[in-house]
Amino acid sequence: MRSPVPRFRDVERQAGGQQPAQCLPPCHERQNNMWFIRDACGIVCAIITWFLVFFAEFVVLFLMLIPSKNLSYSLVNGTLFNSLAFLALASHFRAMCTDPGAVPKGNATKEYIESLQLKPGQVVYKCPKCSSIKPDRAHHCSVCKRCIRKMDHHCPWVNNCVGENNQKYFVLFTMYICLISLHTLVMVVFHFLYCFEDDWTKCSSFSPPATVILLILLCFEALLFLIFTSVMFGTQIHSICTDETGIEKLKREDPTWEKTPSWEAIKSAFGGPLSLAWLSPFADLSCQKDASAPVPMFPQGEIIEEDVIEIPLEPSSM
């Protein structure tokens, strides 16, 4: 009786018989073109996200900080708020426009599989939707219309999937929105107390009814986003530490991979050893792969029809 054949893992990394580069995080074939998903719902959600941040910016500056008589209070809180807002929007942009780890389409060809130089008895899987050889832990996204490596979920608020290449930026986005929401709530409370003690006509450049309405709307927005982003931030950190994506937990998939220790998984997700670069949306994920090394080409050919391809066993010698 023949033993079960092993599933081949991360087949794209061994194209042309090359060994995968050792790096943190794993090195992938990166595209120079900007990644952007043309999804109407996602685009609208992304625009709403930016609009809400700019609305908070408007209310904080023109209703609370600029009319304040305390210059140091305005400068400190204005600098902190604008810095967090800038980092949040930069993280959002990077999460939205970074390839999350998409598997190239149409590489499920006989020529490509032969170039992998797999061992007899190994099995590779073809995605029937995008006709690509599917690496282990990759899942197909119906919105992106691609298979995504270590796909956690598709987030309409960033109009992109959250995968192994952009999870850092998504985590930073949720963290900075959480911090800016908490900071806003504190400023709103102090401003309400200031207006109650002083004349409402003097504590804002707007009329008292407009001031109250804008503060209530800002308070509701900050509280809603504080709860939402703090939960998302916690679940993302937990997923990284347990080396199990959200979709793997949802499907209750049995781990077929060797789990990475929590600290190593965090360093892999954030791009290397602990440093200030972890907090920067402008720091790319580090990789030790030589940038001058040629990117392997995928042999072209006809797409195979089978979804499960087993490398035939070598004929036994008589």
Side-chain angles (χ1 to χ4, degrees):
M1 182 176 179
R2 193 179 64 182
S3 60
V5 292
R7 175 172 176 170
F8 184 70
R9 296 169 181 247
D10 290 351
V11 292
E12 290 181 5
R13 301 180 189 173
Q14 299 185 6
Q18 297 180 354
Q19 294 298 322
Q22 298 298 322
C23 58
L24 273 176
C27 202
H28 313 302
E29 296 78 31
R30 292 178 181 146
Q31 301 292 335
N32 293 325
N33 298 328
M34 179 175 289
W35 174 274
F36 186 78
I37 301 299
R38 295 178 178 85
D39 175 60
C41 177
I43 294 173
V44 170
C45 288
I47 292 174
I48 291 175
T49 301
W50 282 62
F51 170 78
L52 291 175
V53 173
F54 282 119
F55 169 76
E57 180 87 18
F58 170 78
V59 176
V60 168
L61 289 181
F62 293 99
L63 192 144
M64 291 191 287
L65 296 183
I66 293 179
S68 177
K69 299 176 183 179
N70 191 333
L71 181 60
S72 59
Y73 172 85
S74 298
L75 288 177
V76 171
N77 284 283
T79 301
L80 179 59
F81 182 87
N82 282 283
S83 298
L84 291 175
F86 174 75
L87 290 171
L89 293 179
S91 301
H92 182 275
F93 181 82
R94 291 301 302 272
M96 180 172 60
C97 297
T98 298
D99 182 349
V103 179
K105 281 185 176 181
N107 65 352
T109 64
K110 180 180 178 181
E111 292 79 4
Y112 173 59
I113 294 176
E114 289 177 349
S115 72
L116 300 177
Q117 299 181 357
L118 304 180
K119 297 179 180 178
Q122 284 187 293
V123 172
V124 292
Y125 295 85
K126 184 195 80 172
C127 175
K129 298 178 181 178
C130 59
S131 299
S132 63
I133 297 298
K134 197 172 183 179
D136 197 25
R137 303 188 69 183
H139 293 84
H140 186 87
C141 175
S142 58
V143 180
C144 297
K145 296 179 175 59
R146 300 286 290 274
C147 284
I148 307 296
R149 284 190 176 98
K150 291 183 70 174
M151 174 182 169
D152 188 87
H153 68 287
H154 183 92
C155 179
W157 296 105
V158 298
N159 188 34
N160 201 0
C161 276
V162 177
E164 67 177 357
N165 286 357
N166 68 341
Q167 190 173 29
K168 168 191 173 179
Y169 308 123
F170 182 76
V171 171
L172 291 180
F173 168 65
T174 57
M175 183 185 73
Y176 286 126
I177 290 294
C178 181
L179 292 176
I180 198 176
S181 300
L182 181 61
H183 183 218
T184 300
L185 284 174
V186 173
M187 287 193 294
V188 168
V189 170
F190 276 103
H191 197 73
F192 262 120
L193 294 176
Y194 171 72
C195 290
F196 278 127
E197 294 176 357
D198 203 350
D199 189 354
W200 277 87
T201 58
K202 297 180 181 179
C203 70
S204 172
S205 56
F206 295 88
S207 64
T211 300
V212 173
I213 292 174
L214 289 174
L215 286 176
I216 291 176
L217 289 176
L218 181 62
C219 185
F220 176 77
E221 175 192 344
L223 183 61
L224 183 66
F225 274 90
L226 175 63
I227 297 173
F228 177 73
T229 54
S230 61
V231 171
M232 289 301 301
F233 176 78
T235 56
Q236 287 297 301
I237 294 298
H238 182 264
S239 294
I240 294 173
C241 291
T242 57
D243 193 19
E244 190 174 13
T245 66
I247 196 169
E248 288 167 350
K249 292 178 182 177
L250 184 64
K251 292 185 175 182
R252 297 181 179 179
E253 297 182 356
D254 295 327
T256 58
W257 61 93
E258 183 179 353
K259 287 199 172 185
T260 307
S262 299
W263 184 243
E264 293 299 324
I266 292 176
K267 290 196 295 184
S268 176
F270 283 87
L274 178 63
S275 67
L276 289 177
W278 281 19
L279 303 178
S280 172
F282 305 103
D284 292 325
L285 303 181
S286 62
C287 181
Q288 299 172 7
K289 183 178 180 180
D290 186 5
S292 62
V295 176
M297 299 298 294
F298 301 131
Q300 300 297 318
E302 294 185 1
I303 303 297
I304 56 179
E305 297 182 357
E306 296 83 2
D307 293 339
V308 180
I309 306 99
E310 179 180 351
I311 307 303
L313 298 174
E314 295 178 352
S316 57
S317 57
M318 299 298 294

PDB file of all heavy atoms in Angstrom, residues 2-9 11 118-125 136 256 308-311 313:
ATOM      1  N   ARG A   2       0.619   2.161  -0.916  1.00  0.00           N
ATOM      2  CA  ARG A   2       1.467   3.332  -1.054  1.00  0.00           C
ATOM      3  C   ARG A   2       1.106   4.373  -0.013  1.00  0.00           C
ATOM      4  O   ARG A   2      -0.056   4.615   0.274  1.00  0.00           O
ATOM      5  CB  ARG A   2       1.294   3.926  -2.463  1.00  0.00           C
ATOM      6  CG  ARG A   2       2.356   4.955  -2.811  1.00  0.00           C
ATOM      7  CD  ARG A   2       2.150   5.476  -4.217  1.00  0.00           C
ATOM      8  NE  ARG A   2       0.877   6.187  -4.322  1.00  0.00           N
ATOM      9  CZ  ARG A   2       0.439   6.711  -5.455  1.00  0.00           C
ATOM     10  NH1 ARG A   2       1.116   6.535  -6.563  1.00  0.00           N
ATOM     11  NH2 ARG A   2      -0.695   7.363  -5.494  1.00  0.00           N
ATOM     12  N   SER A   3       2.111   4.995   0.542  1.00  0.00           N
ATOM     13  CA  SER A   3       1.880   6.035   1.546  1.00  0.00           C
ATOM     14  C   SER A   3       1.308   7.268   0.872  1.00  0.00           C
ATOM     15  O   SER A   3       1.526   7.502  -0.314  1.00  0.00           O
ATOM     16  CB  SER A   3       3.193   6.384   2.249  1.00  0.00           C
ATOM     17  OG  SER A   3       4.134   6.854   1.307  1.00  0.00           O
ATOM     18  N   PRO A   4       0.562   8.095   1.633  1.00  0.00           N
ATOM     19  CA  PRO A   4      -0.023   9.303   1.049  1.00  0.00           C
ATOM     20  C   PRO A   4       1.057  10.208   0.487  1.00  0.00           C
ATOM     21  O   PRO A   4       2.115  10.387   1.080  1.00  0.00           O
ATOM     22  CB  PRO A   4      -0.740   9.957   2.244  1.00  0.00           C
ATOM     23  CG  PRO A   4      -0.924   8.845   3.236  1.00  0.00           C
ATOM     24  CD  PRO A   4       0.219   7.919   3.035  1.00  0.00           C
ATOM     25  N   VAL A   5       0.767  10.795  -0.667  1.00  0.00           N
ATOM     26  CA  VAL A   5       1.741  11.671  -1.298  1.00  0.00           C
ATOM     27  C   VAL A   5       1.720  13.026  -0.612  1.00  0.00           C
ATOM     28  O   VAL A   5       0.674  13.519  -0.228  1.00  0.00           O
ATOM     29  CB  VAL A   5       1.420  11.840  -2.806  1.00  0.00           C
ATOM     30  CG1 VAL A   5       1.648  10.549  -3.529  1.00  0.00           C
ATOM     31  CG2 VAL A   5      -0.018  12.325  -2.992  1.00  0.00           C
ATOM     32  N   PRO A   6       2.892  13.619  -0.425  1.00  0.00           N
ATOM     33  CA  PRO A   6       2.935  14.913   0.260  1.00  0.00           C
ATOM     34  C   PRO A   6       2.487  16.030  -0.664  1.00  0.00           C
ATOM     35  O   PRO A   6       2.696  15.980  -1.873  1.00  0.00           O
ATOM     36  CB  PRO A   6       4.413  15.070   0.625  1.00  0.00           C
ATOM     37  CG  PRO A   6       5.135  14.292  -0.438  1.00  0.00           C
ATOM     38  CD  PRO A   6       4.231  13.130  -0.769  1.00  0.00           C
ATOM     39  N   ARG A   7       1.893  17.044  -0.077  1.00  0.00           N
ATOM     40  CA  ARG A   7       1.514  18.216  -0.849  1.00  0.00           C
ATOM     41  C   ARG A   7       2.732  19.114  -1.005  1.00  0.00           C
ATOM     42  O   ARG A   7       3.484  19.325  -0.062  1.00  0.00           O
ATOM     43  CB  ARG A   7       0.413  18.991  -0.124  1.00  0.00           C
ATOM     44  CG  ARG A   7       0.056  20.299  -0.831  1.00  0.00           C
ATOM     45  CD  ARG A   7      -1.158  20.942  -0.209  1.00  0.00           C
ATOM     46  NE  ARG A   7      -1.407  22.228  -0.850  1.00  0.00           N
ATOM     47  CZ  ARG A   7      -2.506  22.934  -0.655  1.00  0.00           C
ATOM     48  NH1 ARG A   7      -3.437  22.483   0.144  1.00  0.00           N
ATOM     49  NH2 ARG A   7      -2.681  24.092  -1.251  1.00  0.00           N
ATOM     50  N   PHE A   8       2.936  19.641  -2.210  1.00  0.00           N
ATOM     51  CA  PHE A   8       4.089  20.504  -2.461  1.00  0.00           C
ATOM     52  C   PHE A   8       3.783  21.905  -1.953  1.00  0.00           C
ATOM     53  O   PHE A   8       2.725  22.433  -2.188  1.00  0.00           O
ATOM     54  CB  PHE A   8       4.394  20.548  -3.958  1.00  0.00           C
ATOM     55  CG  PHE A   8       5.622  21.336  -4.273  1.00  0.00           C
ATOM     56  CD1 PHE A   8       6.870  20.870  -3.932  1.00  0.00           C
ATOM     57  CD2 PHE A   8       5.519  22.556  -4.905  1.00  0.00           C
ATOM     58  CE1 PHE A   8       7.999  21.595  -4.224  1.00  0.00           C
ATOM     59  CE2 PHE A   8       6.642  23.288  -5.207  1.00  0.00           C
ATOM     60  CZ  PHE A   8       7.891  22.798  -4.859  1.00  0.00           C
ATOM     61  N   ARG A   9       4.734  22.498  -1.257  1.00  0.00           N
ATOM     62  CA  ARG A   9       4.530  23.788  -0.618  1.00  0.00           C
ATOM     63  C   ARG A   9       5.276  24.880  -1.378  1.00  0.00           C
ATOM     64  O   ARG A   9       6.421  24.726  -1.767  1.00  0.00           O
ATOM     65  CB  ARG A   9       5.035  23.772   0.826  1.00  0.00           C
ATOM     66  CG  ARG A   9       4.254  22.800   1.698  1.00  0.00           C
ATOM     67  CD  ARG A   9       4.961  22.642   3.024  1.00  0.00           C
ATOM     68  NE  ARG A   9       4.223  21.683   3.836  1.00  0.00           N
ATOM     69  CZ  ARG A   9       3.580  21.995   4.938  1.00  0.00           C
ATOM     70  NH1 ARG A   9       3.541  23.227   5.353  1.00  0.00           N
ATOM     71  NH2 ARG A   9       2.943  21.081   5.633  1.00  0.00           N
ATOM     72  N   VAL A  11       5.299  26.343  -4.330  1.00  0.00           N
ATOM     73  CA  VAL A  11       5.967  25.869  -5.531  1.00  0.00           C
ATOM     74  C   VAL A  11       6.566  26.999  -6.343  1.00  0.00           C
ATOM     75  O   VAL A  11       7.555  26.805  -7.042  1.00  0.00           O
ATOM     76  CB  VAL A  11       4.976  25.069  -6.403  1.00  0.00           C
ATOM     77  CG1 VAL A  11       4.601  23.783  -5.726  1.00  0.00           C
ATOM     78  CG2 VAL A  11       3.740  25.888  -6.717  1.00  0.00           C
ATOM     79  N   LEU A 118      10.105  18.743  -9.443  1.00  0.00           N
ATOM     80  CA  LEU A 118       9.533  18.117  -8.254  1.00  0.00           C
ATOM     81  C   LEU A 118       9.923  16.652  -8.190  1.00  0.00           C
ATOM     82  O   LEU A 118      10.276  16.032  -9.192  1.00  0.00           O
ATOM     83  CB  LEU A 118       8.007  18.255  -8.276  1.00  0.00           C
ATOM     84  CG  LEU A 118       7.456  19.679  -8.384  1.00  0.00           C
ATOM     85  CD1 LEU A 118       5.950  19.644  -8.395  1.00  0.00           C
ATOM     86  CD2 LEU A 118       7.954  20.521  -7.229  1.00  0.00           C
ATOM     87  N   LYS A 119       9.812  16.108  -6.996  1.00  0.00           N
ATOM     88  CA  LYS A 119      10.123  14.704  -6.799  1.00  0.00           C
ATOM     89  C   LYS A 119       8.932  13.846  -7.209  1.00  0.00           C
ATOM     90  O   LYS A 119       7.784  14.279  -7.099  1.00  0.00           O
ATOM     91  CB  LYS A 119      10.470  14.445  -5.333  1.00  0.00           C
ATOM     92  CG  LYS A 119      11.719  15.175  -4.861  1.00  0.00           C
ATOM     93  CD  LYS A 119      11.982  14.892  -3.382  1.00  0.00           C
ATOM     94  CE  LYS A 119      13.223  15.628  -2.900  1.00  0.00           C
ATOM     95  NZ  LYS A 119      13.465  15.386  -1.444  1.00  0.00           N
ATOM     96  N   PRO A 120       9.182  12.641  -7.679  1.00  0.00           N
ATOM     97  CA  PRO A 120       8.081  11.735  -8.038  1.00  0.00           C
ATOM     98  C   PRO A 120       7.164  11.484  -6.836  1.00  0.00           C
ATOM     99  O   PRO A 120       7.628  11.262  -5.722  1.00  0.00           O
ATOM    100  CB  PRO A 120       8.790  10.453  -8.471  1.00  0.00           C
ATOM    101  CG  PRO A 120      10.150  10.899  -8.893  1.00  0.00           C
ATOM    102  CD  PRO A 120      10.501  12.062  -7.995  1.00  0.00           C
ATOM    103  N   GLY A 121       5.870  11.537  -7.089  1.00  0.00           N
ATOM    104  CA  GLY A 121       4.891  11.303  -6.045  1.00  0.00           C
ATOM    105  C   GLY A 121       4.386  12.569  -5.390  1.00  0.00           C
ATOM    106  O   GLY A 121       3.390  12.533  -4.665  1.00  0.00           O
ATOM    107  N   GLN A 122       5.065  13.708  -5.634  1.00  0.00           N
ATOM    108  CA  GLN A 122       4.571  14.954  -5.067  1.00  0.00           C
ATOM    109  C   GLN A 122       3.326  15.412  -5.815  1.00  0.00           C
ATOM    110  O   GLN A 122       3.118  15.076  -6.979  1.00  0.00           O
ATOM    111  CB  GLN A 122       5.647  16.039  -5.119  1.00  0.00           C
ATOM    112  CG  GLN A 122       6.738  15.874  -4.060  1.00  0.00           C
ATOM    113  CD  GLN A 122       7.676  17.059  -4.038  1.00  0.00           C
ATOM    114  OE1 GLN A 122       8.415  17.271  -4.994  1.00  0.00           O
ATOM    115  NE2 GLN A 122       7.659  17.816  -2.959  1.00  0.00           N
ATOM    116  N   VAL A 123       2.513  16.210  -5.103  1.00  0.00           N
ATOM    117  CA  VAL A 123       1.249  16.671  -5.657  1.00  0.00           C
ATOM    118  C   VAL A 123       1.218  18.197  -5.644  1.00  0.00           C
ATOM    119  O   VAL A 123       1.636  18.831  -4.675  1.00  0.00           O
ATOM    120  CB  VAL A 123       0.057  16.124  -4.842  1.00  0.00           C
ATOM    121  CG1 VAL A 123      -1.255  16.750  -5.300  1.00  0.00           C
ATOM    122  CG2 VAL A 123      -0.012  14.617  -4.980  1.00  0.00           C
ATOM    123  N   VAL A 124       0.761  18.790  -6.741  1.00  0.00           N
ATOM    124  CA  VAL A 124       0.516  20.229  -6.796  1.00  0.00           C
ATOM    125  C   VAL A 124      -0.962  20.440  -7.132  1.00  0.00           C
ATOM    126  O   VAL A 124      -1.608  19.572  -7.718  1.00  0.00           O
ATOM    127  CB  VAL A 124       1.411  20.932  -7.840  1.00  0.00           C
ATOM    128  CG1 VAL A 124       2.858  20.895  -7.423  1.00  0.00           C
ATOM    129  CG2 VAL A 124       1.229  20.318  -9.208  1.00  0.00           C
ATOM    130  N   TYR A 125      -1.461  21.589  -6.732  1.00  0.00           N
ATOM    131  CA  TYR A 125      -2.876  21.886  -6.906  1.00  0.00           C
ATOM    132  C   TYR A 125      -3.054  23.106  -7.791  1.00  0.00           C
ATOM    133  O   TYR A 125      -2.345  24.116  -7.630  1.00  0.00           O
ATOM    134  CB  TYR A 125      -3.548  22.127  -5.549  1.00  0.00           C
ATOM    135  CG  TYR A 125      -3.579  20.906  -4.666  1.00  0.00           C
ATOM    136  CD1 TYR A 125      -2.497  20.588  -3.849  1.00  0.00           C
ATOM    137  CD2 TYR A 125      -4.678  20.065  -4.644  1.00  0.00           C
ATOM    138  CE1 TYR A 125      -2.504  19.466  -3.043  1.00  0.00           C
ATOM    139  CE2 TYR A 125      -4.694  18.940  -3.843  1.00  0.00           C
ATOM    140  CZ  TYR A 125      -3.616  18.652  -3.041  1.00  0.00           C
ATOM    141  OH  TYR A 125      -3.644  17.535  -2.241  1.00  0.00           O
ATOM    142  N   ASP A 136       0.865  26.295  -0.805  1.00  0.00           N
ATOM    143  CA  ASP A 136       0.225  25.962   0.455  1.00  0.00           C
ATOM    144  C   ASP A 136      -0.130  27.239   1.207  1.00  0.00           C
ATOM    145  O   ASP A 136       0.605  28.231   1.146  1.00  0.00           O
ATOM    146  CB  ASP A 136       1.175  25.108   1.299  1.00  0.00           C
ATOM    147  CG  ASP A 136       0.443  24.394   2.424  1.00  0.00           C
ATOM    148  OD1 ASP A 136      -0.766  24.171   2.281  1.00  0.00           O
ATOM    149  OD2 ASP A 136       1.085  24.062   3.425  1.00  0.00           O
ATOM    150  N   THR A 256      -1.104  22.100   8.416  1.00  0.00           N
ATOM    151  CA  THR A 256      -0.218  21.170   7.725  1.00  0.00           C
ATOM    152  C   THR A 256       1.181  21.743   7.610  1.00  0.00           C
ATOM    153  O   THR A 256       2.048  21.151   6.982  1.00  0.00           O
ATOM    154  CB  THR A 256      -0.759  20.852   6.321  1.00  0.00           C
ATOM    155  OG1 THR A 256      -0.896  22.077   5.586  1.00  0.00           O
ATOM    156  CG2 THR A 256      -2.113  20.153   6.405  1.00  0.00           C
ATOM    157  N   VAL A 308      -5.834  18.628  -9.603  1.00  0.00           N
ATOM    158  CA  VAL A 308      -4.847  17.970  -8.743  1.00  0.00           C
ATOM    159  C   VAL A 308      -3.879  17.242  -9.652  1.00  0.00           C
ATOM    160  O   VAL A 308      -4.275  16.374 -10.423  1.00  0.00           O
ATOM    161  CB  VAL A 308      -5.504  16.984  -7.755  1.00  0.00           C
ATOM    162  CG1 VAL A 308      -4.448  16.326  -6.879  1.00  0.00           C
ATOM    163  CG2 VAL A 308      -6.545  17.693  -6.903  1.00  0.00           C
ATOM    164  N   ILE A 309      -2.606  17.623  -9.578  1.00  0.00           N
ATOM    165  CA  ILE A 309      -1.588  17.052 -10.458  1.00  0.00           C
ATOM    166  C   ILE A 309      -0.566  16.316  -9.607  1.00  0.00           C
ATOM    167  O   ILE A 309       0.064  16.909  -8.727  1.00  0.00           O
ATOM    168  CB  ILE A 309      -0.885  18.139 -11.304  1.00  0.00           C
ATOM    169  CG1 ILE A 309      -1.917  18.964 -12.073  1.00  0.00           C
ATOM    170  CG2 ILE A 309       0.125  17.511 -12.245  1.00  0.00           C
ATOM    171  CD1 ILE A 309      -2.244  20.274 -11.432  1.00  0.00           C
ATOM    172  N   GLU A 310      -0.404  15.039  -9.868  1.00  0.00           N
ATOM    173  CA  GLU A 310       0.574  14.232  -9.149  1.00  0.00           C
ATOM    174  C   GLU A 310       1.732  13.925 -10.079  1.00  0.00           C
ATOM    175  O   GLU A 310       1.531  13.511 -11.231  1.00  0.00           O
ATOM    176  CB  GLU A 310      -0.054  12.930  -8.641  1.00  0.00           C
ATOM    177  CG  GLU A 310       0.931  12.033  -7.898  1.00  0.00           C
ATOM    178  CD  GLU A 310       0.276  10.751  -7.409  1.00  0.00           C
ATOM    179  OE1 GLU A 310      -0.962  10.646  -7.508  1.00  0.00           O
ATOM    180  OE2 GLU A 310       1.007   9.864  -6.941  1.00  0.00           O
ATOM    181  N   ILE A 311       2.932  14.175  -9.593  1.00  0.00           N
ATOM    182  CA  ILE A 311       4.134  13.864 -10.376  1.00  0.00           C
ATOM    183  C   ILE A 311       4.261  12.350 -10.467  1.00  0.00           C
ATOM    184  O   ILE A 311       4.285  11.664  -9.432  1.00  0.00           O
ATOM    185  CB  ILE A 311       5.392  14.468  -9.732  1.00  0.00           C
ATOM    186  CG1 ILE A 311       5.185  15.972  -9.479  1.00  0.00           C
ATOM    187  CG2 ILE A 311       6.598  14.225 -10.605  1.00  0.00           C
ATOM    188  CD1 ILE A 311       4.829  16.757 -10.723  1.00  0.00           C
ATOM    189  N   LEU A 313       5.376   8.538 -10.633  1.00  0.00           N
ATOM    190  CA  LEU A 313       6.486   7.800 -10.047  1.00  0.00           C
ATOM    191  C   LEU A 313       7.386   7.261 -11.150  1.00  0.00           C
ATOM    192  O   LEU A 313       6.929   6.926 -12.259  1.00  0.00           O
ATOM    193  CB  LEU A 313       5.967   6.658  -9.176  1.00  0.00           C
ATOM    194  CG  LEU A 313       5.121   7.052  -7.960  1.00  0.00           C
ATOM    195  CD1 LEU A 313       4.570   5.810  -7.291  1.00  0.00           C
ATOM    196  CD2 LEU A 313       5.957   7.855  -6.971  1.00  0.00           C
TER     197      LEU A 313
END
